[in-house]
Amino acid sequence: MSGFFGFDTSLPGRGNSGAQGGRQQFSGFQASNVDETFALGGAGEEEDLAVYTWGEGGMGGGGLLEGGDDLNDETFGGDMGEISNNFQFSSQPAPAPTTKGKIASTQSRYKPKPVSDPFAFSEDDFYSSRPTAKKTTSAKAPSRPKASTAQSGSVENLWNKPAVSSPAWGTAPSSMTKPTPPPSASYSSQPPAPGHIKSLEEIEAEMAQMAMPSTSTAAPTQQKVLSLEEIEKQMMEQIEPPRQATPQQPAPPREATPTQVPGLAGSGYASQQALLDSMFPELGKGPAAVPGQPTPAFPAGQMQEGQGQPQPPRPSPEELARMEELHKRITAKIQSMGKYNNLMGSSDKDFITRIQLSQLATADPYTSDFYAQVFSALKRSRMIAEGQGDGPTVVQVGAGMGLGVGGPVGNRFGKMGQNTMTKLSTQVKKLVENRAQHQKVANTAALQGALGRVTRGNAAAPRPVLAIPTSNKPENRPASQLNQQTGVHRAALTKKQVMFALEELYDAILELEQMRREAPPPTAMEEIEIWHAKCQAKVDIIWRRLMVMEPLDISNPHPFISLVNPIKGQKLFPRLLRHLPHTQSITLLSLLIATYTQLDVVVRAPPPPVADASLLTKADRLDRAKREAETDSFLQFVIPGVDMIINRCGLGLVAGMLAISAQRSEVWRVAATRPGVALYTALLSKAQSLIRSPTPDPMNSQQNQQVDPAELEQWSKTFTYFLHVLLPHLNDLFPSSVAQKAAFGPGAYLIGGDAVSDREGQEMERREAEVWGFVAVLAVNAAEEDQTNLVGALREKILHTVQSSRHPTVSPARAEMKLRNVNMFLNGLGLDASMIE
Amino acid sequence: MNIKIQDSTHSTRYIDIYITQRTFDASQLFIMLIFSFFKTLTDQVITVELKNDLSITGTLKSVDQFLNIRLDGISVEDPERHPHMLAVKNCFIRGSVVRYVRMAARSVDTTLLEDATRREAKEAKK
C-alpha cells in the first residue's frame, strides 16, 4: 500500500525515462509493474499470473503481429511524445491519490448501483468484495493467457490489439510513476474495460479526450473543504505551479481546484471518506476493468461537466491577483469583525428574544405559567376594582391559548420586546391554529433546545414545543374508596388518608376553577350548556370527595371534619363553598354544626395562656403554637364561609341549626372556644336581624316573606333553651376568667395583674371582645327576664372589668378596650359603663 | 434503581437516559414554576444572595427561564467587604449562582403558589 501511495516519489525519474521510453523500457517497466501488482494485489497467485500474462500478453501480442507491430511502433513512436505529454495529465493518478479518490467518490455518489458489485465503494465493501474483484480478474486472466498462448482466434486478436496499446497506454503511467495499471486505468476510467475490447482508435480517441479533461476530472477531488486557509494555500501554490505544470504532475489538479468548487464537493468529510473508500476499489477494479459501460459513461458526463469549467481553473495572473485581493479583503473583514466576536447586536438580541418567546408559546398558558397568569389576573381585577385601568398583561392568542409570558409588567423585554411581542402574538396565533389542525404532524423540534432549554419527554418522544391537549381522559377513579366501605362505624381517617383526600380535593378544585375560567363566550348556547354540565359533574365529584353525606356517626371525627381539621383543609373551605350550590352548602353547614365538637379547634382549643411561658416545655410550647395557629386559621378561613352560609338561611334554618348544636353538644364547652363563640354569634345575630327587620333582603328571595310565626316560635324556644344551658357557664366563656381559673401558684397573682405585658393584655382584650360581642347578641335576643338573668350572671365580670379599666396601672389603650367591650354588652341593654360607680 | 442491565450496551444507555430524563422533568417543571413566580416580582425590590455570600438588593427588571436575574439600582449589603461593587448600578446575575432571593411577603400569593405547585406536580405525573 505504501508503495502505492509512495509512487509520488518515484515520479520524476520515471517521468523522464518514460518520456523517452523505448520498448525495452516498456518491458522492463512491465516487469516492475508486475512486481507492483504483486505487492498490491496482495496474495492471489492466480491474480498475479493474470496480471503478469496481461502485461506479457501485451508485449507478446505486439511481437507476434509483426507488421502491425511496426505500425504500432510507428504510431506509438510518433505518439510517444504526445502520449508522454498526455500522460502528464493522464498519469496524474500518481501524484495525487486524492484525484482518484474524488472520481471514485463522485462515481459512488452518482452511480452507485451498476458498478457497485464488483467495485466496492466503501472500504468495507472493498474488502468484502475484493474476492469478487479478484475473481473478475481471474476470470479475465484466463482469456488473456489464451490470447497470448493461442493467439489464433479473432477474438484473441481483438484482445491483443488493445493489449498492445494498453501496455503502451499503461506503460506511460508506469514509466512515469510506476503505479500499477489499475490506478491509471481507473483514473481515466473508461479505457481499460472498453479499451481491451475496443479498437485502438477508440482508445486513442479516449486518450485524447482524457488529455483535456484530466485536469478537470482531477479537480473535483480537491474541492473537499475549502476553508479559508485552504484557499489561501492553494492560491499560494497556484502562483508557482503553472510554470512547473509541464514537468510536474501534481500541479495541474491543484490549479484547478479553487475554481472548480461547485456541487461536487459536497461535505468535506464525505468527500474525504469517499476518497478513502475509493482508493481501494480502484485497486480491485483496475486490472479487472470489467463492466465497461457504466464506468466510462460517467466520466464522460463528468468530462462534459469539467470541460465547461476548465477555462477558469487556469487563472490568469490578473485573476490570481484579483483573488488574492479578494482573499485579503475577506481576511481583513473577518479580522475587523473579530473584535466584536463576543458582543451581541440588537438584531442578535432580538433573535434570541424571539427564540425565547417562541419557546414560551403554549397552548395553555395556565399549565406552565399558572402562577404568573393567575397572579396577574388577580392583580388586574384588584386594580380595576380600585379604578386603575390596566391592559391585559397576558398575551392572549385565543380562547385559553397564549404565550406563557405574563406578570404585572408586559414589557419585560423592553421596547424591542414590545414589538416582538405584538409580532409574535400574531405568529403564535397562526401557529396555534395550524397546530390544532395538524396535531398529528409532529415536527416541532426546530427550535427545541436552541437555547439549551431542557425539554420534557424522552429522546424517543420529545416534548413538542407547542402541545395542545386533544382529549381529556375521563376519570376512572372509584368515586371514593372510603365511601364504598360499609359498616355503621369505622375508624377515623388516618392523617395520611386525610392528606391524600385533601390533595385530591385540591386537584379537583383546581380543575374546576380552570374550567370556570375557560367559560365559553355567552353567545354559544350549546357550548355553555356543555360547559355547565362539565362543571356540574366536577362539582359532584368534589361533593362526593368531601364525604359530607357519610352518616353522622360513622366515625369520630366525621370524615368531613377530618378534612377540615388541618389548616390545609381549612384553606380549602372557602374555595369549596364558592362552587357548591345552596342546598349542598346548607347540608354541609348542618353537618359542621352537628359535629362541631369533633373539630380539633374545639376539642383541643388552645389552653388559656399561662403567666410564665418559661414553665412550659418546648413540646408544650410548640403544641400551643400549633393550636393557636389552627384556631386562627379556622377563624380566618372557615368562619367567614360559615357566616356566608348562615346569612343565606332563613330563621327556621338558623333555629334548626342552633337546636342541632344545643342537642348534640355541650353548648358551654363549644362557646368557650373562639370558633364556638364565632359560630354562635353569627347564628344569633342573623336570627336577630331576621326578627328585627323582616323587611325583605333583595339579595335573597328566601327571606322575602315575613318571618313565619312558627319559625319565630321555634327560634325563641330554642334560644331560651340555649341561653339557659349557657347561663351558668357565662363567666367561663371569658378568656380572662379562664386564665385566672387555670392559673395557680405564683401565676395567679400575675394573671390579670400588671405583670402581663401591655401587648399581651391588649390581645387578651381583643379575645374578650369576641365574647362580649357574643353576650351582647345573647342579650339582644333574650327576652326581658332573661336579660336580667344575663346581667345578673355577668354582674361581677362587668364590675371587675369596669374597675380594672379605671385602675391606674392599666394602660389607657387597654382601659379603653375594656370599656368598649363592656359597653358592647351594656349598650345592647340600653345601659352604659359610665353608669357604673 | 433495580434495573437489570442487559448484555447489550444499548439498552443500558437507554435506561440511563430515561432516568436522567426523569430527573430533568421534575427540575424543569420546577424551574418553570419558579420562573412564572419571579415574573410576577418584576419591578419590585428584592435581595439576591449569591453563593459567594454577596447580597445584592435591587429592583428586579427581568428574569428568564434559566432564572437569570437582571437587577437595577443595586446596592450591596456589606459594601465594606465588596468595595468593587460600589460603582455598579445594575447587574445581570446568572441563575446558577443565586443562593437565595428575599422578597416582601406581601408580594407573594402563598395560596396561589401552592396551587401552582399542585398543578406542576400533576403535570409531572402525566
Side-chain angles (χ1 to χ4, degrees):
Chain A
M1 287 296 169
S2 61
F4 178 73
F5 287 112
F7 49 66
D8 256 332
T9 48
S10 62
L11 186 66
R14 298 288 180 189
N16 291 335
S17 63
Q20 298 122 18
R23 195 162 297 198
Q24 286 96 348
Q25 268 177 323
F26 280 143
S27 62
F29 273 110
Q30 280 313 96
S32 74
N33 198 4
V34 169
D35 289 344
E36 202 59 33
T37 358
F38 268 122
L40 286 167
E45 269 100 342
E46 224 187 343
E47 192 190 15
D48 298 337
L49 242 180
V51 178
Y52 184 76
T53 34
W54 174 61
E56 281 292 69
M59 291 317 286
L64 277 170
L65 276 173
E66 308 245 323
D69 200 23
D70 282 335
L71 270 175
N72 279 346
D73 206 9
E74 260 182 37
T75 25
F76 278 87
D79 285 339
M80 219 41 191
E82 290 172 19
I83 285 172
S84 66
N85 273 336
N86 286 343
F87 276 138
Q88 279 165 359
F89 299 108
S90 66
S91 64
Q92 273 149 20
T98 45
T99 345
K100 284 168 276 158
K102 194 53 199 187
I103 289 171
S105 81
T106 47
Q107 277 173 344
S108 65
R109 192 170 296 164
Y110 294 115
K111 304 222 121 208
K113 273 308 130 195
V115 220
S116 68
D117 280 337
F119 309 119
F121 290 103
S122 70
E123 215 167 343
D124 292 355
D125 284 355
F126 168 62
Y127 287 121
S128 62
S129 69
R130 202 148 37 158
T132 57
K134 280 174 195 166
K135 265 173 222 157
T136 54
T137 349
S138 57
K140 271 274 144 125
S143 76
R144 271 176 212 152
K146 258 185 244 158
S148 59
T149 47
Q151 281 163 357
S152 49
S154 62
V155 186
E156 271 69 34
N157 277 341
L158 209 132
W159 276 106
N160 283 339
K161 258 187 216 164
V164 174
S165 68
S166 78
W169 179 85
T171 34
S174 69
S175 67
M176 300 178 83
T177 62
K178 105 170 186 208
T180 52
S184 64
S186 81
Y187 171 67
S188 51
S189 31
Q190 73 280 55
H196 292 291
I197 310 165
K198 284 175 188 168
S199 68
L200 200 94
E201 291 87 343
E202 277 178 279
I203 291 172
E204 275 175 357
E206 278 160 3
M207 282 168 72
Q209 244 182 338
M210 245 168 47
M212 302 221 303
S214 58
T215 37
S216 58
T217 38
T221 36
Q222 301 257 333
Q223 290 153 8
K224 299 167 286 187
V225 208
L226 287 190
S227 69
L228 215 92
E229 292 89 332
E230 265 180 276
I231 296 180
E232 194 179 7
K233 220 189 289 169
Q234 280 158 0
M235 281 165 78
M236 297 302 281
E237 277 164 338
Q238 268 169 16
I239 302 166
E240 300 162 27
R243 276 159 248 146
Q244 299 170 347
T246 346
Q248 240 185 12
Q249 274 69 34
R254 289 238 149 182
E255 240 176 283
T257 342
T259 37
Q260 294 243 326
V261 187
L264 285 174
S267 75
Y269 173 74
S271 66
Q272 279 176 353
Q273 187 61 38
L275 183 151
L276 274 174
D277 293 346
S278 58
M279 288 162 92
F280 302 102
E282 274 167 18
L283 284 180
K285 177 170 58 181
V290 188
Q293 265 22 291
T295 332
F298 173 67
Q302 210 193 7
M303 269 177 244
Q304 265 125 42
E305 206 180 298
Q307 270 161 351
Q309 288 170 342
Q311 264 54 40
R314 316 228 159 207
S316 60
E318 305 94 64
E319 222 171 327
L320 277 176
R322 209 177 42 131
M323 288 177 73
E324 223 163 342
E325 179 65 21
L326 182 73
H327 175 234
K328 260 186 218 155
R329 253 192 298 148
I330 290 171
T331 321
K333 180 74 180 169
I334 288 173
Q335 265 167 3
S336 69
M337 271 160 49
K339 275 189 286 186
Y340 307 106
N341 262 353
N342 297 323
L343 300 179
M344 291 170 87
S346 62
S347 62
D348 297 324
K349 287 178 189 163
D350 203 11
F351 180 66
I352 297 239
T353 307
R354 234 175 300 154
I355 294 181
Q356 276 187 329
L357 284 178
S358 67
Q359 289 212 330
L360 295 175
T362 55
D364 176 14
Y366 289 108
T367 309
S368 57
D369 201 24
F370 178 78
Y371 183 86
Q373 299 287 324
V374 178
F375 188 89
S376 55
L378 288 177
K379 187 160 182 169
R380 230 176 303 138
S381 63
R382 220 176 303 145
M383 278 174 147
I384 288 166
E386 286 165 15
Q388 308 168 327
D390 191 14
T393 56
V394 178
V395 184
Q396 275 292 339
V397 169
M401 297 184 172
L403 281 178
V405 262
V409 186
N411 58 345
R412 55 182 282 263
F413 290 101
K415 199 174 63 186
M416 169 196 66
Q418 285 283 26
N419 293 334
T420 319
M421 291 272 263
T422 48
K423 254 189 275 170
L424 206 80
S425 64
T426 54
Q427 282 176 4
V428 170
K429 189 173 184 173
K430 278 184 204 160
L431 196 65
V432 169
E433 281 165 2
N434 257 344
R435 190 61 46 78
Q437 283 170 3
H438 314 287
Q439 185 72 41
K440 296 277 152 54
V441 186
N443 188 19
T444 55
L447 287 173
Q448 197 86 53
L451 292 179
R453 183 191 189 185
V454 185
T455 55
R456 273 184 268 148
N458 54 32
R463 171 188 178 258
V465 173
L466 185 54
I468 298 173
T470 41
S471 64
N472 289 325
K473 272 183 256 162
E475 194 192 24
N476 282 329
R477 169 185 168 280
S480 164
Q481 205 99 64
L482 301 156
N483 266 336
Q484 288 165 357
Q485 288 180 19
T486 47
V488 184
H489 196 85
R490 60 164 188 256
L493 299 188
T494 63
K495 192 177 178 202
K496 196 172 178 182
Q497 278 176 315
V498 171
M499 287 304 164
F500 269 102
L502 276 178
E503 276 310 317
E504 281 176 349
L505 267 175
Y506 264 108
D507 280 350
I509 288 266
L510 278 174
E511 274 170 33
L512 180 60
E513 282 173 351
Q514 185 61 35
M515 232 180 257
R516 300 251 191 228
R517 262 193 292 266
E518 287 163 356
T523 47
M525 293 304 285
E526 298 141 35
E527 281 175 45
I528 282 192
E529 267 179 32
I530 296 169
W531 174 71
H532 271 305
K534 267 191 191 166
C535 289
Q536 192 50 49
K538 208 69 186 167
V539 170
D540 287 346
I541 290 174
I542 290 172
W543 180 247
R544 252 177 286 135
R545 286 185 185 174
L546 271 178
M547 295 179 277
V548 172
M549 299 313 280
E550 299 281 331
L552 205 56
D553 291 318
I554 191 149
S555 65
N556 186 8
H558 187 272
F560 173 72
I561 298 299
S562 298
L563 290 181
V564 189
N565 270 339
I567 291 182
K568 200 193 226 182
Q570 294 169 358
K571 283 181 180 168
L572 190 63
F573 193 79
R575 294 170 71 181
L576 274 171
L577 286 186
R578 225 174 289 147
H579 301 292
L580 289 180
H582 182 66
T583 49
Q584 285 181 350
S585 55
I586 297 283
T587 317
L588 189 140
L589 182 62
S590 315
L591 175 71
L592 183 69
I593 289 176
T595 52
Y596 215 70
T597 45
Q598 298 175 356
L599 281 169
D600 261 356
V601 284
V602 174
V603 186
R604 301 181 67 249
V610 287
D612 194 354
S614 61
L615 292 174
L616 300 169
T617 64
K618 192 186 175 195
D620 220 359
R621 246 184 318 230
L622 285 179
D623 183 54
R624 275 165 183 265
K626 184 172 163 264
R627 287 178 180 190
E628 287 285 351
E630 276 178 0
T631 303
D632 282 345
S633 145
F634 188 86
L635 291 177
Q636 185 190 345
F637 292 108
V638 180
I639 291 299
V642 169
D643 274 348
M644 196 185 71
I645 304 173
I646 290 176
N647 267 330
R648 282 191 255 155
C649 293
L651 186 58
L653 269 175
V654 175
M657 288 190 191
L658 192 64
I660 293 174
S661 182
Q663 258 172 31
R664 291 190 57 88
S665 53
E666 293 165 312
V667 176
W668 69 92
R669 289 247 165 89
V670 176
T673 63
R674 294 174 68 200
V677 167
L679 171 71
Y680 289 141
T681 310
L683 279 175
L684 296 188
S685 55
K686 176 63 188 171
Q688 193 52 35
S689 71
L690 282 175
I691 295 167
R692 285 267 172 93
S693 58
T695 39
D697 182 354
M699 297 298 289
N700 198 329
S701 57
Q702 279 195 330
Q703 296 170 13
N704 273 2
Q705 67 269 34
Q706 287 275 322
V707 178
D708 191 338
E711 279 183 3
L712 199 58
E713 173 74 7
Q714 186 202 356
W715 165 254
S716 55
K717 261 186 180 171
T718 315
F719 176 74
T720 313
Y721 171 73
F722 176 75
L723 185 63
H724 279 269
V725 174
L726 204 58
L727 262 185
H729 306 279
L730 262 190
N731 269 317
D732 296 340
L733 304 188
F734 291 92
S736 59
S737 315
V738 177
Q740 237 155 7
K741 239 185 190 175
F744 59 93
Y749 296 103
L750 302 173
I751 285 288
D754 326 320
V756 187
S757 78
D758 195 45
R759 198 175 56 80
E760 273 176 44
Q762 288 194 22
E763 176 60 30
M764 177 67 89
E765 295 313 320
R766 228 168 278 132
R767 300 261 171 102
E768 293 259 289
E770 291 170 10
V771 184
W772 280 113
F774 171 55
V775 291
V777 183
L778 274 180
V780 171
N781 270 295
E784 290 278 337
E785 66 271 22
D786 288 331
Q787 283 182 348
T788 330
N789 290 340
L790 205 58
V791 176
L794 288 175
R795 172 185 296 275
E796 273 189 28
K797 186 73 193 164
I798 295 167
L799 286 177
H800 178 77
T801 313
V802 172
Q803 275 162 8
S804 68
S805 74
R806 290 169 188 166
H807 200 278
T809 51
V810 172
S811 73
R814 194 177 169 188
E816 198 206 338
M817 285 172 87
K818 278 174 183 280
L819 276 183
R820 214 190 311 137
N821 285 346
V822 176
N823 275 336
M824 215 189 320
F825 171 66
L826 291 180
N827 289 349
L829 299 171
L831 304 169
D832 195 278
S834 55
M835 291 151 59
I836 296 168
E837 286 307 308
Chain B
M1 275 268 137
N2 253 341
I3 298 169
K4 188 173 182 185
I5 294 171
Q6 296 172 6
D7 48 357
S8 149
T9 48
H10 189 72
S11 63
T12 321
R13 201 169 51 194
Y14 173 76
I15 290 164
D16 282 347
I17 288 168
Y18 180 69
I19 291 168
T20 33
Q21 201 66 51
R22 279 183 58 115
T23 357
F24 270 143
D25 271 8
S27 66
Q28 175 63 21
L29 282 169
F30 180 68
I31 283 178
M32 285 314 281
L33 166 62
I34 299 300
F35 171 43
S36 182
F37 167 68
F38 273 115
K39 277 195 289 195
T40 65
L41 290 180
T42 39
D43 281 343
Q44 308 211 24
V45 175
I46 60 169
T47 303
V48 180
E49 186 183 324
L50 308 187
K51 286 174 182 168
N52 64 356
D53 291 337
L54 179 64
S55 287
I56 306 172
T57 308
T59 313
L60 179 68
K61 289 324 277 183
S62 79
V63 65
D64 66 17
Q65 50 190 333
F66 307 107
L67 304 185
N68 301 328
I69 291 171
R70 200 157 66 77
L71 289 182
D72 245 7
I74 62 164
S75 60
V76 176
E77 203 165 69
D78 191 1
E80 287 81 23
R81 264 184 69 203
H82 310 280
H84 58 282
M85 293 297 291
L86 277 176
V88 185
K89 287 286 154 270
N90 55 52
C91 63
F92 181 88
I93 302 169
R94 191 184 149 95
S96 64
V97 301
V98 175
R99 184 184 286 145
Y100 296 122
V101 177
R102 291 196 285 269
M103 68 217 71
R106 65 183 148 68
S107 52
V108 185
D109 189 332
T110 327
T111 322
L112 192 56
L113 200 53
E114 283 171 5
D115 286 352
T117 51
R118 284 196 180 92
R119 283 185 72 98
E120 299 283 351
K122 240 177 122 200
E123 279 295 305
K125 261 186 236 162
K126 270 183 195 167

